[in-house]
Amino acid sequence: MAATGSEPYAVGAAAVLPCYWLYAAVGSALTEKARDAGLDPHPYGDWLATYDAPDFQLATERARDIVDRAAKTADPATRKRMRDAFMRACELELRFFAEPVRRAGARSFAVASTHRVV
């Protein structure tokens, strides 16, 4: 949120992208796993349906495209700030999801992606 209010548009867009991207990926992956496991209805079915929905997946693709286009026209310093904001937001998202695992005493985890943003 801080980047969206204090940084140029391109940096703010890069900072919010991980939220879209992560929820789209997690929603899709968990929906598939729930279907494969025969968990119907799934206890978090409404949440999964929101983030696995075609409209949300399309919005995520659009957000990625917006950030990619902004990066193409940005100067090198702005691209670095975009990358830094994106990576910081990724770190915060991972910490958010890892916290319950940490509290439970389980091993931490990481989310990997193959799409390169900037």
Side-chain angles (χ1 to χ4, degrees), residues 4-109:
T4 63
S6 63
E7 292 282 356
Y9 173 80
V11 177
V16 299
L17 181 58
C19 184
Y20 277 94
W21 204 345
L22 180 62
Y23 277 71
V26 169
S28 184
L30 290 180
T31 296
E32 184 177 328
K33 287 182 187 245
R35 282 188 200 124
D36 291 348
L39 295 175
D40 190 25
H42 189 277
Y44 298 104
D46 291 343
W47 185 92
L48 294 174
T50 298
Y51 296 108
D52 188 43
D55 287 346
F56 190 80
Q57 295 292 324
L58 183 61
T60 300
E61 285 298 319
R62 184 160 185 219
R64 287 170 37 175
D65 289 343
I66 288 168
V67 172
D68 286 345
R69 281 194 318 268
K72 285 179 185 175
T73 61
D75 61 75
T78 300
R79 278 195 300 276
K80 181 185 181 323
R81 288 167 52 201
M82 290 174 73
R83 191 172 20 261
D84 291 348
F86 177 85
M87 295 305 294
R88 176 68 175 144
C90 287
E91 177 185 335
L92 294 172
E93 291 289 349
L94 288 173
R95 285 183 183 183
F96 172 78
F97 280 99
E99 184 60 20
V101 175
R102 186 193 67 76
R103 286 184 182 204
R107 292 181 10 207
S108 64
F109 60 93

Side-chain angles (χ1 to χ4, degrees), residues 102-117:
R102 186 193 67 76
R103 286 184 182 204
R107 292 181 10 207
S108 64
F109 60 93
V111 175
S113 176
T114 58
H115 183 77
R116 189 164 176 210
V117 177

